Amino acid sequence: MSIFWPALPEDCTVAGPNGGPHPRRGELIGRGTEMGQIMMALAAARSGAGGALFVTGEPGVGKTRLATEALAMAAETNMVTVRGRAGAVGPPVPYRPLIEALLLLARAGLLPDSDELGRYGPVLARLLSGARDTEADAASHIVVAETMLRLLAVVGARRGCLLVLDDLHDADAGTLAVVEYLLDNIGMQPAALLLVTGCGPCAATELATRARQREAATVLELSPLSHPDVHLLIAAELRVPAAEVCPDLVRRAVDGSAGIPFVVKELVHDLSGRPALPDPHSPSVPPTVADNVRRQTGRLGPLGVELLGMAALFGRRFSLPVLERAIGRDHTQLSAVLRAAVASYLITPDGPGTQWYTFRYRLAAEALLDDLGPGERARYLRRAARALTELHPGLPGAWCEHAAQLHEHAGDTPEAIRLYCEAAGRATGEGAADRAVDLLTRAHRLVEPGIAPELHATVLERLLDAVARSARFDRLPGPAAILDTLGGDGGEHDIPAQRRAGLHARLSDIATLTGRPAEALWHLDLARSLLGSHPADQYAALVDLSAVHVELSRLAPDRLRTATRYARRALEAAQRVDLPDVACRALLLLGQLARAQDEPAAVAHFGRARALALARRLPVPRMAADVHLATVAASHDGRPAPIEQARQEALGMGLLPLAHETGFVLALDRIQHGRFDEARDRIRESAADASRLGLGRHLAMLRLADAVRYAHQGRRAEMRGALERLAPLLDAAPGVRAMSYGLARAFCSLLEEQHEAAGQEFAQALAYDAENPAIGDFGKHGIVLLLGVLAGRMGRRHHAEVAQASVSATRWNHQFTGLAHAVLLGREGRPDEATAAAGKALEAAEPFPMARRLSLRLVAQSAYEDGWGTPVEWLREAEEYFHDAGLQTVAGAGRALLRGMGASVRQRRTGTERVPADLRRCGITVREFEVARLVAERISNKDIAGRLHISLRTVEKHVASLLQKTGHPNRTAFATAARDLVA
């Protein structure tokens, strides 16, 4: 089995409807434009205006298939159809395609009598007889051409005629002379010529070029099929709908065939005829394709066979200077062979100059590789590897990967694995995480019994690290293989115990990323048991880093302190043995753990991580440090652009977990800024990607963000749905429970004027935080303080305690803590200071439209009572915002407060669109509809009055009006009939 063509997944469709291969004849795909031109030429021929078309293209592109379709189309209109083909086998036969066409007419009984051709009848007879010593042999090409022209005129006189001459690149000079004559004189005849030739340099292609220049013929140059057309061709060959074709089969067909229809078809039929579990040692190239490549290569001579055979060792793309050194020939000696190989469409130049070439399609390289015997392959590989190292000492750049491929094909598996690991390390250093995963996957596939345990462990360590960075969890080895490597089956293993501990630590990190905390803890416990009593620093540091992540998911009040201790211990161990990547990871964790309480320390940790990453050229931790530093800065200046820039860079580097972590931060930022549609789009896109990748931890955070988005718009029903979707993932990410209450439920309750419920929900968030402290902010250092101060539960001492935490100084929290300070100042009889403090807090609140107006509504009554600020203006601003946002409950509360302050209140008569059409027809007003919704919830009149801030008497009037207008005898009957109002 060639390494270029891995086995298809088991669920890929490659068989016909009855399990067998589809018949070879299928629908013509991707040639609509060309068939349109042929149809016009046929229609013109039937009307007596002949014409000619050349069909050219590389081998296998479908020239003959197009000609066959043209013949079928002509036959459907009752035209006479005739075909001849030049032959490449045996000695040249003069006029071979013309004679073949004449014989076909004779067999069909359509050949005219000699008398109908006049003096050209004997020429026709002699052509058919094959006589060599008669006057016909001496006839000039022009006489033969005129004979063919008159023949076409007679044959096509009634219905028109289509003459197809195929493979003209193999035709003799006499045939081409006749064709040239026909091109110049076919215009007044009831016949169409379809002339098929390859596009390599030859007399036929020169004739086509001249004919196009003098407008004697149209040239149809067939291109390879596009990706969608390959998809349709596969579906047609398998006789299944296009939607049922395995996408992986389409991708591999496009990659292996370069869109050449012949290769696509043969590949599909070959796969459909194979057993479900094919022999891994069987050839990967369809026999017909391999034979075709073999014939084309053979025409290049021994030097061409050697050149392309050695080139195939490099894969699809190869360097000419390396081959020249390996073969021992200079460019001048190889130039003729290269030109012929390019003309045969076996290879094509890749990029400017002549330094690099690629095989026209991947299967061509595979076919040549399969043809190399073991001894020949080994000799070629030794020469190629030696040339590569001589020309490129140290194997810089992509040369390391090329060398790995060479050693892989040579069977030198240890060296191939080492080189793949080296190439992957360089890819990681260049910020190409996906490329590193691909290289390490190839290395891991080469691991087999007998490989040195140290090398096996190295491959697995680097693969697990790369997978964790990129979220390419599909590239993880199977659980059975991992457990076998790590000793999970109780067998004998040569990998040292402490090194296995490091592998378990990596698996623990991956389990954390995928949202499986129990599995993460299991791996961590195994890692600790394997470390023993005297662990080496390099492995102890990895285990401690994993312990940080696991600790954050545990229900323990001191988990943050414990996690910090582990992170510090990991940092110290990493510094002792000079592991800069591990040290950077420890510093980043220390920064995250410290940020809520000691932001300067957190920034220092992030800065140290960034400096170390830059000094040691570690792009991944440098990128993570940039993200965290940008997040801290944005929390104060309110500018998320640097975070978005960092996220885009992380995406470009393939660091998907980091990108999605940043996406959650940006989603919350959009919500706080009131840009709910942008937040929705970001959350949906990121959540779909996180779900596809299996990033359970990040998916939980994004679903939390979705619930917060609904809550901050007062959309309780949608918030509940989002929280239900979050419920299965509550254990996937630390702190989610506390944030779901503080950021979502409580805010929604405040927008519904249910302050008691909001207080209970914030209390629940605090309780969850006490048993499992959260890193993320859920209101503890902001709005919880403001509500507590307003309710009289909190005072100066509480304010001072909150202010000590760095997170209270973020712009989002400052609006709440600053207003809490203003309320306290007002109560202390310091109105001027209270007004100034409120001004600063509201300045901080400016970017947050919903939170600002909610804060104004919350503090207005206290400000009014204590004589500070401008509570009437604040309430009008809040009422205007909430009314426009459709949050009528909180808007109504603002109007009620304004009335209580003796201020004028703007009348609101809009909103009739929210009243259902059937109720509007009954004459139900907007206010009556607001009452109706609460009646439908079976809420008492007294509570309705409190909710809507109207008098009990007014509620009774609205209820009576509702019953009268809808015809219900009592409120119970109305509530039963109006259940849909609260659905």
Side-chain angles (χ1 to χ4, degrees), residues 347-359:
I347 61 174
T348 183
D350 187 6
T354 57
Q355 296 295 303
W356 288 90
Y357 287 80
T358 60
F359 283 94

Side-chain angles (χ1 to χ4, degrees), residues 71-124:
L71 288 167
M73 183 182 297
E76 289 176 359
T77 60
N78 294 319
M79 293 180 69
V80 174
T81 59
V82 59
R83 182 177 198 164
R85 186 178 67 83
V89 180
V93 177
Y95 307 125
R96 158 69 189 269
L98 303 175
I99 294 173
E100 185 175 316
L102 295 174
L103 292 173
L104 180 61
L105 285 173
R107 290 196 297 273
L110 299 175
L111 197 65
D113 295 334
S114 297
D115 296 341
E116 294 184 72
L117 298 179
R119 67 189 185 92
Y120 294 97
V123 177
L124 176 63

Side-chain angles (χ1 to χ4, degrees), residues 17 63 197 199 237 244 372 423 449 459 483 559 726 740 857 897 930 951 981:
K63 302 184 294 295
T197 179
C199 55
E237 292 297 304
E244 295 182 11
L372 296 179
V459 174
L483 289 177
R559 71 187 186 104
L726 170 63
S740 70
R857 180 265 173 271
L897 288 172
E930 293 174 353
S951 69
L981 296 181

Side-chain angles (χ1 to χ4, degrees), residues 790 822-824 826-827 858-868 901:
L790 288 169
V823 171
L824 291 171
R827 289 176 182 172
L858 291 174
V859 303
Q861 186 64 35
S862 179
Y864 177 75
E865 293 173 353
D866 295 331
W868 56 273
M901 296 175 186

